């Protein structure tokens, strides 16, 4: 789903504070984008039934996506529920530092009903060791540092985007986040085979690396009313 400045990579799905939902191929259509998508047909996507957009905001502590503001404004004007995501670099600074950077550049959340909680894109290193040189326990601590900092500022835990393989490899399939952090699961297939980390289900599923109107395809695991409830945080 999310794109690093170094190379296109996968993103993942989020688990929500809602009634348990089953992994399924139906749901509300959405998509994710970054500056890799110069132009996006927001009105066409909305007309086709898409209702949410995840937009890259930041990466590490040195990169602000050049298209974030325009994408965010255009998505809002078209009527979408939208939110920002941060591509993590756990080898470059603390989780807290990167959460603060994300929050300072578009990654915040409010309960206005049209804003998704921020998403932490934590996945394969685009330019080095798969796990950024961190042990499983160090990676878990880094993610907790990011998440607790984000929650302390917004009142809401961020979503975690990842793949089942990366999560198993780099966190030892940690179950430490399954209760509080919604899962955005990246798995390009016609159905979901593995939900990692003790999550009972994914909240969002990045099911394909292309979407007709721009970016990657994502599905909310529920109906439009439950998506609106999720955005509201109630």
């Amino acid at each position: 789903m999310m794109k690093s400045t170094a190379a296109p990579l996968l993103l993942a799905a989020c688990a929500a504070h809602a009634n348990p939902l089953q992994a399924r191929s139906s749901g509300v259509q959405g998509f994710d984008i970054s500056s890799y998508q110069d132009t996006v047909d927001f009105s066409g996507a909305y007309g086709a039934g898409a209702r949410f957009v995840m937009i890259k905001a930041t990466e590490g502590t040195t990169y602000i996506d050049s298209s974030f503001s325009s994408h965010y404004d255009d998505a809002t004007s078209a009527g979408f529920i939208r939110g920002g995501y941060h591509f993590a670099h756990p080898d470059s600074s603390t989780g807290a530092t990167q959460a603060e950077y994300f929050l300072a550049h578009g990654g915040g959340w409010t309960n206005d009903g049209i804003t998704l909680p921020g998403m932490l894109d934590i996945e394969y290193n685009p330019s080095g060791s798969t796990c950024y040189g961190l042990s499983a326990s160090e990676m878990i601590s880094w993610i907790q540092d990011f998440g607790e900092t984000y929650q302390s500022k917004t009142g809401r835990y961020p979503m975690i985007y990842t793949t089942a393989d990366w999560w198993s490899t780099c966190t030892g399939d940690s179950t430490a986040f399954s209760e509080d952090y919604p899962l955005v699961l990246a798995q390009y297939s016609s159905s979901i085979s593995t939900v990692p980390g003790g999550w009972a289900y994914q909240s969002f599923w990045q099911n394909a690396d292309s979407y007709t109107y721009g970016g990657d395809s994502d599905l909310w695991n529920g109906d439009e009313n439950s998506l609106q409830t999720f955005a509201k945080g109630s």
Side-chain angles (χ1 to χ4, degrees):
M1 164 184 191
M2 307 322 169
K3 304 293 190 291
S4 164
T5 54
L9 295 173
L10 287 176
L11 258 174
C14 298
H17 292 97
N19 293 328
L21 304 170
Q22 295 181 345
R24 59 188 184 184
S25 58
S26 61
V28 179
Q29 179 69 55
F31 57 107
D32 62 87
I33 53 177
S34 71
S35 59
Y36 279 86
Q37 288 75 44
D38 294 330
T39 58
V40 177
D41 185 0
F42 288 102
S43 61
Y46 194 90
R51 290 296 181 266
F52 67 89
V53 188
M54 299 172 181
I55 306 168
K56 183 171 184 179
T58 52
E59 181 170 338
T61 56
T62 60
Y63 179 81
I64 301 169
D65 192 277
S66 59
S67 297
F68 175 75
S69 293
S70 60
H71 279 161
Y72 201 87
D73 290 345
D74 290 346
T76 304
S77 296
F80 284 97
I81 293 172
R82 70 292 183 267
Y85 74 84
H86 174 80
F87 190 95
H89 281 276
D91 55 343
S92 68
S93 60
T94 66
T97 298
Q98 292 193 32
E100 293 280 7
Y101 187 75
F102 179 44
L103 286 162
H105 299 289
W109 174 79
T110 58
N111 65 346
D112 56 11
I114 60 171
T115 305
L116 293 170
M119 183 171 69
L120 175 64
D121 179 1
I122 186 88
E123 53 169 300
Y124 307 101
N125 186 351
S127 58
S129 168
T130 296
C131 302
Y132 301 85
L134 274 62
S135 66
S137 62
E138 289 171 335
M139 185 64 74
I140 292 166
S141 294
W142 192 96
I143 297 169
Q144 288 173 330
D145 195 28
F146 184 101
E148 292 295 335
T149 301
Y150 189 90
Q151 193 277 337
S152 72
K153 302 294 185 180
T154 66
R156 190 125 188 227
Y157 285 98
M159 304 186 289
I160 292 177
Y161 168 97
T162 195
T163 69
D165 174 72
W166 187 92
W167 194 258
S168 176
T169 300
C170 296
T171 74
D173 206 32
S174 172
T175 61
F177 304 92
S178 61
E179 293 298 320
D180 295 320
Y181 295 70
L183 175 66
V184 182
L185 182 65
Q187 193 171 125
Y188 298 162
S189 60
S190 59
S191 62
I192 292 174
S193 60
T194 304
V195 177
W199 277 285
Y201 55 88
Q202 85 289 349
S203 293
F204 295 89
W205 172 25
Q206 186 185 63
N207 66 327
D209 61 358
S210 63
Y211 176 60
T212 302
Y213 300 94
D216 303 322
S217 173
D218 305 297
L219 292 172
W220 162 251
N221 191 3
D223 60 19
E224 190 169 346
N225 285 337
S226 64
L227 174 63
Q228 293 168 349
T229 298
F230 176 77
K232 184 75 173 174
S234 58

